[in-house]
Amino acid sequence: MSTGPKPQTIGAVERAADVLNAFTELDGATAGVTELSDRLGLSKAVVHRILASLRARGFIDLDEQTRRYSLGPASLALGLTYLQQIDVRDAARSVLRDLSEQTNETATLSIRRGDVRMYVDQVTPAREVKMTVQLGHPYPLHAGASSKAFLAHLSAAHVDEYLAGPLEALGENTITDPVLLRLDLGEIRKRGYAASFGERQEGAASIAAPVSDHENDTVAVISVCGPVERFRDEVGAIAPVLLEATRELSRKLGWEG
Amino acid sequence: MSTGPKPQTIGAVERAADVLNAFTELDGATAGVTELSDRLGLSKAVVHRILASLRARGFIDLDEQTRRYSLGPASLALGLTYLQQIDVRDAARSVLRDLSEQTNETATLSIRRGDVRMYVDQVTPAREVKMTVQLGHPYPLHAGASSKAFLAHLSAAHVDEYLAGPLEALGENTITDPVLLRLDLGEIRKRGYAASFGERQEGAASIAAPVSDHENDTVAVISVCGPVERFRDEVGAIAPVLLEATRELSRKLGWEG
DNA sequence: GCGGCGAGTTCCGCTGAGCGGAACGGCGTT
DNA sequence: AACGCCGTTCCGCTCAGCGGAACTCGCCGC
């Protein structure tokens, strides 16, 4: 992050960006003016004008029957343009599928940008009770196996800086004590993978391991996740399969061990 | 489109959206302040403030060494949130791969939103001279096989409305005469697929056919494309393979013929 | 049918947020 | 060293955008 003075910004533009970000955080695909107004603390008139402006440029669609708003095609264009800059998702697809088949659980792929990470792909097993994750939603780096797998492989300076900030609890089991977290990160590095039982999402368990590229950077994290009740018994069998999958994808990305 | 009076918008927000859209249209992954300023006809100070505002909310990244800007993770979150609303891409993946293997050419998947369509997936063959397309870039509905395949299957009223508007030429071979285009659309519907030789992109040729869902709506278009020189000789053999692929995906999406 | 309610939409007076021109600082080239 | 170009910052000026409130419409209960 920049240490200089903060550059001049435009409040109206920031508020519009807040509106767009709200759509990635909401549970439903559509939102109404009042809902966004309450959520963001803006007047209905402002929200309405922002939505109308973004709609004029393709970022927002309006269903004129229900009078509710959803993301528009320019949003997709933006995301796919961003994805063009990375090809990890394509390379990982077959690895994820094999991993899901071998474990009979959900396999996910995450990437990190700054101090957040997000799921960018998943393969779910052909069974009724299973986990599915929300693609694109940003998560902090301390909560959940995939997040901690990234955090454990950042530089010591970056870890220090991250742990000096607020550690938000996503659920009852999220580790928010920096001392405990450091111990966990040490275990993760020694063991090769991170584990989480309800830290990011109650009822959900997962193990996750990093994927490296030709520069030995951690460019992605692969996880296997499922409902807590049955996952505890499966971890021992899943871990070596996960580690082999991450090695396979790492080799694909030019990692040489 | 709404026929009522245009709602109040915010100019600053529209200008910010123009900046974001510019990143989906540029050839490179990064852009500088002056380049965007020239492109959009805004002062450098305005562009800088817009970029700073969008950066504050995660939509833009700044490389502090090169002092150039690129899309940030919130852009990806937006696109993937949008993608969550559709699952065509997942369903089509194996169909695209088989199609590319059988034809030894690039297979693409497009979706349409309003009067634009975009590539949302592609599978390229294992050969050196091949076509690749840019995911996420919006194209008008009259230029190129994938676009025309959508246009040919819109309602007559929608086609009338579209053809009454300006038909921008993307290249020398783009059809911009509404009368000629109507004839072509009729052929497309009769033949079952659209063909293009350099209409969207010079040197590129493709054929494309629609994919239908359980409501018989055209929800996607699949194309096979390659360099013009060799494609002319291959069209006859590729067409039935393409049509079978679209029928297969359509059945997957609940189409019953 | 009527009235109330809640949602999205529109209007308009007011003022400070945002604009643009220009200066500044840094870097690369000659 | 001078120059050009880029991104960044500053500041005077004014109108773009804000918020409060009225409006419209659809739904629901009586």
Side-chain angles (χ1 to χ4, degrees):
Chain A
M1 288 297 175
S2 169
T3 54
K6 181 168 173 295
Q8 272 192 324
T9 58
I10 301 171
V13 171
E14 287 179 321
R15 288 189 284 276
D18 290 337
V19 167
L20 285 177
N21 278 330
F23 278 92
T24 69
E25 292 158 5
L26 293 170
D27 287 341
T30 65
V33 171
T34 303
E35 184 179 343
L36 291 166
S37 169
D38 290 343
R39 181 187 184 92
L40 298 171
L42 303 172
S43 77
K44 290 201 290 180
V46 166
V47 170
H48 187 259
R49 280 194 295 267
I50 288 170
L51 290 170
S53 306
L54 294 172
R55 183 173 168 232
R57 295 295 189 271
F59 284 95
I60 292 282
D61 270 347
L62 167 65
D63 182 327
E64 303 196 5
Q65 297 296 321
T66 64
R67 301 214 289 179
R68 291 177 67 83
Y69 294 85
S70 59
L71 291 176
S75 304
L76 179 59
L78 215 49
L80 292 177
T81 299
Y82 183 96
L83 268 181
Q84 287 274 82
Q85 300 171 20
I86 57 172
D87 54 7
V88 179
R89 199 167 184 252
D90 287 341
R93 187 68 180 175
S94 62
V95 175
L96 288 189
R97 194 179 40 254
D98 291 346
L99 184 57
S100 179
E101 279 174 18
Q102 289 177 57
T103 59
N104 205 20
E105 294 289 5
T106 296
T108 73
L109 176 73
S110 296
I111 62 170
R112 176 187 65 86
R113 288 296 182 265
D115 289 343
V116 297
R117 64 98 191 163
M118 64 188 66
Y119 293 115
V120 296
D121 210 355
Q122 71 179 326
V123 176
T124 55
R127 65 199 294 187
E128 291 191 347
V129 180
K130 64 191 170 185
M131 252 191 81
T132 61
V133 298
Q134 184 180 5
L135 304 187
H137 186 92
Y139 293 102
L141 292 185
H142 61 282
S146 295
S147 294
K148 291 187 298 181
F150 275 118
L151 191 57
H153 294 89
L154 293 181
S155 70
H158 198 156
V159 173
D160 287 346
E161 185 181 333
Y162 184 86
L163 294 186
L167 301 181
E168 176 196 355
L170 300 196
E172 287 194 1
N173 298 308
T174 311
I175 306 177
T176 54
D177 179 342
V179 176
L180 291 183
L181 207 43
R182 278 187 194 277
L183 291 178
D184 201 5
L185 298 184
E187 281 297 312
I188 292 164
R189 287 190 286 264
K190 189 186 311 180
R191 193 171 50 202
Y193 63 88
S196 159
F197 296 88
E199 288 173 30
R200 177 186 63 87
Q201 171 89 16
E202 298 201 35
S206 65
I207 60 174
V211 175
S212 307
D213 70 356
H214 60 283
E215 297 184 340
N216 242 354
D217 293 334
T218 300
V219 293
V221 161
I222 290 185
S223 85
V224 179
C225 55
V228 162
E229 304 81 53
R230 71 179 185 233
F231 205 79
R232 287 189 199 276
D233 298 334
E234 300 177 337
V235 166
I238 290 176
V241 184
L242 170 67
L243 292 173
E244 179 51 36
T246 55
R247 281 192 292 265
E248 181 187 343
L249 182 55
S250 297
R251 283 190 294 264
K252 269 193 176 183
L253 299 182
W255 175 74
E256 295 184 336
Chain B
M1 287 294 175
S2 169
T3 52
K6 181 167 174 291
Q8 274 195 326
T9 58
I10 301 171
V13 172
E14 287 181 321
R15 288 188 285 274
D18 291 336
V19 168
L20 286 177
N21 277 331
F23 278 92
T24 70
E25 292 158 8
L26 293 170
D27 287 339
T30 65
V33 171
T34 303
E35 182 181 342
L36 291 166
S37 168
D38 290 343
R39 181 186 185 91
L40 299 172
L42 304 172
S43 77
K44 289 201 290 182
V46 165
V47 170
H48 187 260
R49 279 195 294 268
I50 288 170
L51 290 169
S53 306
L54 294 172
R55 184 172 167 232
R57 294 296 190 271
F59 285 95
I60 292 284
D61 270 347
L62 167 65
D63 183 326
E64 302 196 7
Q65 297 297 319
T66 63
R67 301 212 291 176
R68 291 176 66 81
Y69 294 85
S70 59
L71 291 176
S75 305
L76 179 58
L78 215 48
L80 291 178
T81 299
Y82 184 97
L83 268 181
Q84 290 272 86
Q85 299 171 23
I86 57 172
D87 54 8
V88 179
R89 199 167 183 249
D90 287 340
R93 187 68 178 171
S94 61
V95 174
L96 290 188
R97 194 178 42 254
D98 291 346
L99 183 58
S100 180
E101 279 175 18
Q102 289 178 56
T103 58
N104 205 21
E105 294 289 3
T106 296
T108 73
L109 176 73
S110 295
I111 62 169
R112 175 187 68 86
R113 286 297 183 267
D115 288 344
V116 297
R117 67 96 190 164
M118 63 189 68
Y119 293 115
V120 296
D121 211 353
Q122 70 179 326
V123 177
T124 55
R127 65 200 294 188
E128 291 191 347
V129 179
K130 65 192 170 185
M131 251 191 81
T132 63
V133 298
Q134 183 179 6
L135 303 186
H137 185 90
Y139 293 102
L141 291 186
H142 62 279
S146 296
S147 294
K148 290 187 299 183
F150 274 119
L151 190 56
H153 294 89
L154 292 181
S155 68
H158 199 156
V159 173
D160 286 347
E161 186 183 331
Y162 184 87
L163 293 186
L167 301 180
E168 177 196 353
L170 301 195
E172 288 192 1
N173 298 309
T174 311
I175 304 177
T176 53
D177 180 342
V179 175
L180 291 182
L181 207 43
R182 278 185 193 279
L183 290 178
D184 200 5
L185 297 184
E187 282 295 314
I188 291 164
R189 285 191 286 267
K190 189 184 312 177
R191 194 171 49 199
Y193 64 88
S196 160
F197 296 87
E199 286 173 30
R200 177 186 63 86
Q201 172 89 17
E202 298 201 35
S206 64
I207 59 174
V211 174
S212 306
D213 70 356
H214 60 285
E215 299 184 340
N216 242 355
D217 293 334
T218 300
V219 294
V221 161
I222 289 186
S223 84
V224 178
C225 54
V228 162
E229 303 81 54
R230 69 179 186 231
F231 205 80
R232 288 188 198 276
D233 299 334
E234 298 178 335
V235 165
I238 290 176
V241 183
L242 170 68
L243 291 174
E244 180 51 35
T246 55
R247 280 191 292 265
E248 181 186 345
L249 182 55
S250 296
R251 284 189 295 264
K252 268 194 176 185
L253 300 182
W255 175 74
E256 295 184 336

